[in-house]
Amino acid sequence: MDRDRFEDILSALRADGKRVTVAKRAVARVLVEQSDHLSAEEVTKAAQRYAADLSPSTVYRILEEMERLDLVVHAHVGHAATVYHLAGAVHGHLVCTNCGVTIEIPSRHFDALSADLLKSYDFRLDRHHVAIAGLCARCRES
Ligand SMILES: [Zn+2]
Ligand SMILES: [Zn+2]
Ligand SMILES: [Zn+2]
């Protein structure tokens, strides 16, 4: 585990006057260990290894708290799925509407679209928040 990253999260919570509970340590640990896009349920399941009595609603509140502190971001990648990960470099997501696979793509793919939307509609694109839907190569072949 990236110990520095883990400690940074705990420090940020303390700096905001928040108590660092066993539950928060467990959630922070999971987010650092699994640098992936995880649903609140997946975070809960993984975090229960470190805090057995952790409930989904507690995890949800912790994720929201971390999000308010800009430690965590969320994105929507499927019909109902909301996924969370540590805040970091901005990126986009592609999601296959058939098999559900999510592909992380570099932010630069949105540069031209972003500039165009700003110019034409005075609209600022949020590159990360919602995934672009389509069909992956595997699903198109079959
Ligand atoms: Zn959202
Ligand atoms: Zn993401
Ligand atoms: Zn697919």
Side-chain angles (χ1 to χ4, degrees):
M1 179 178 69
D2 185 339
R3 199 81 216 173
D4 288 345
R5 199 132 199 229
F6 177 70
E7 291 298 337
D8 282 349
I9 295 171
L10 303 188
S11 305
L13 290 169
R14 284 193 201 100
D16 196 55
K18 301 287 195 302
R19 259 175 3 105
V20 177
T21 58
V22 172
K24 286 176 196 174
R25 297 180 77 93
V27 169
R29 194 169 172 159
V30 166
L31 292 172
V32 172
E33 277 177 350
Q34 312 194 16
S35 51
D36 200 359
H37 297 74
L38 302 171
S39 68
E41 293 75 48
E42 287 167 334
V43 174
T44 304
K45 252 184 105 181
Q48 280 170 344
R49 276 181 305 182
Y50 309 119
D53 56 352
L54 203 53
S55 72
S57 61
T58 302
V59 168
Y60 192 75
R61 274 203 310 277
I62 293 170
L63 288 169
E64 281 196 318
E65 183 181 322
M66 289 180 174
E67 196 159 12
R68 277 196 300 275
L69 295 174
D70 293 326
L71 299 168
V72 165
V73 291
H74 79 264
H76 308 279
V77 297
H79 289 294
T82 300
V83 293
Y84 298 83
H85 55 78
L86 292 178
V90 174
H91 56 263
H93 311 97
L94 307 178
V95 62
C96 175
T97 48
N98 188 54
C99 71
V101 71
T102 306
I103 301 162
E104 211 175 284
I105 62 170
S107 175
R108 64 179 158 78
H109 291 295
F110 298 97
D111 287 351
L113 175 64
S114 183
D116 190 25
L117 292 177
L118 195 60
K119 188 163 170 253
S120 305
Y121 301 96
D122 197 12
F123 186 84
R124 187 180 297 280
L125 178 69
D126 179 344
R127 302 172 187 218
H128 180 262
H129 199 167
V130 178
I132 294 176
L135 281 175
C136 74
R138 275 242 308 268
C139 290
R140 283 201 325 280
E141 277 160 21
S142 55

